[in-house]
Amino acid sequence: NFSTLRCIGTDEIPCNGLQLPTNPTSINGLNEWACNKCPIKVSYDNVNMITGRMNEETENILASQPTPSELEEFIEKLNPFLHPNHHIFFNIKHTLLQLYGSHKDMPYEKMSEKMLHNKLKICDDLLSIVKVLDPLSIRIAFYVAIIYFEKSQCILEMQMRKIEGFDLKQAMNELEKAKYIIASEEDSP
C-alpha cells in the first residue's frame, strides 16, 4: 500500500475503502484506480495529480524546518486521503521520528511517556514497511539505519525513566542493527 489512496466516496455516500490500480502491472500507466468497497473509480491522471500536489506540499513543509507539532498536524491533514503506509507518510514520519527527542521544542526531557510510545510505534511501523519493500536494506540502507538508531535512543530513554518492559539490552540490539546496516555502506558516496 505504498501508493494506495483512501476512497472518500461522495457527498451522499462516504467511503473508507482503498483506491487501488485495477491493473498495477500496466506498462502504459493509463489504468484506472478503483475502490475496494464502493463503485467509485479514479483515473491514473487524477491520482497522479493528487499525489503530485501532496508531494509538493510535503517537500515544502519539510524544507521549512518544521516542528514536530507541525508535522503531526500535516499528517492529520493528509490522513483522510492516504493509506497509513503511503510513501508520503513514510517520508514525513521518518523526519518526525528524528525530530522527536532532538528538536528544541521537543527534547527527550519534555516528551511524555505517551510520546515516547508514539515514537516507538512510528519506528515499528516504518520498519514493517521496509521489511516488505527492502527486506535486506539494500536500497534505503541509511533510512533504515536511522530508524534503528532512533528506536534505540527511544528505548534507552524509556529504560532510563524505568518504564516497564524496556532495558539497555534492547536499546543495544537496535543500535547493533543500525551499525550492521551502516557498515555495509562504508564505501558508498
Side-chain angles (χ1 to χ4, degrees):
N1 293 307
F2 210 54
S3 297
T4 303
L5 302 177
R6 290 184 195 259
C7 181
I8 57 172
T10 65
D11 290 339
E12 298 83 35
I13 308 168
C15 179
N16 194 24
L18 301 175
Q19 284 286 343
L20 301 160
T22 56
N23 187 3
T25 59
S26 171
I27 294 173
N28 64 16
L30 299 176
N31 56 349
E32 282 187 315
W33 286 48
C35 180
N36 65 349
K37 288 189 177 178
C38 77
I40 293 180
K41 294 184 179 186
V42 181
S43 72
Y44 171 80
D45 289 338
N46 282 338
V47 169
N48 207 21
M49 179 196 64
I50 292 166
T51 55
R53 286 184 183 170
M54 288 182 190
N55 273 322
E56 186 177 317
E57 197 171 343
T58 300
E59 288 174 16
N60 289 339
I61 194 164
L62 293 179
S64 73
Q65 298 181 345
T67 65
S69 298
E70 289 170 334
L71 285 183
E72 290 168 342
E73 289 172 16
F74 189 57
I75 288 170
E76 286 303 312
K77 176 183 172 183
L78 296 181
N79 196 44
F81 308 104
L82 302 175
H83 187 279
N85 292 349
H86 198 280
H87 65 86
I88 292 174
F89 277 158
F90 186 95
N91 193 12
I92 298 165
K93 290 176 181 180
H94 194 271
T95 301
L96 181 60
L97 75 89
Q98 294 173 76
L99 293 177
Y100 282 152
S102 66
H103 192 272
K104 64 181 173 69
D105 290 348
M106 198 176 288
Y108 275 113
E109 304 82 52
K110 290 185 178 180
M111 290 179 69
S112 67
E113 185 175 331
K114 181 180 178 181
M115 293 168 98
L116 289 170
H117 281 285
N118 187 42
K119 178 174 179 164
L120 199 57
K121 182 179 179 339
I122 290 172
C123 290
D124 289 338
D125 289 348
L126 295 181
L127 287 170
S128 71
I129 294 168
V130 167
K131 286 178 183 172
V132 172
L133 297 178
D134 190 14
L136 300 176
S137 301
I138 294 170
R139 296 182 188 266
I140 55 172
F142 286 112
Y143 276 87
V144 179
I146 288 169
I147 297 168
Y148 281 122
F149 174 77
E150 292 295 338
K151 186 174 180 180
S152 75
Q153 298 305 292
C154 187
I155 292 171
L156 181 61
E157 179 66 25
M158 294 170 113
Q159 186 272 329
M160 289 180 0
R161 292 186 189 187
K162 308 234 184 289
I163 297 173
E164 192 174 318
F166 299 94
D167 60 40
L168 189 57
K169 186 176 179 180
Q170 288 173 299
M172 291 300 296
N173 185 33
E174 300 301 325
L175 200 52
E176 285 296 323
K177 291 175 187 174
K179 181 180 171 185
Y180 175 78
I181 291 169
I182 291 296
S184 67
E185 295 294 315
E186 287 179 354
D187 296 331
S188 172

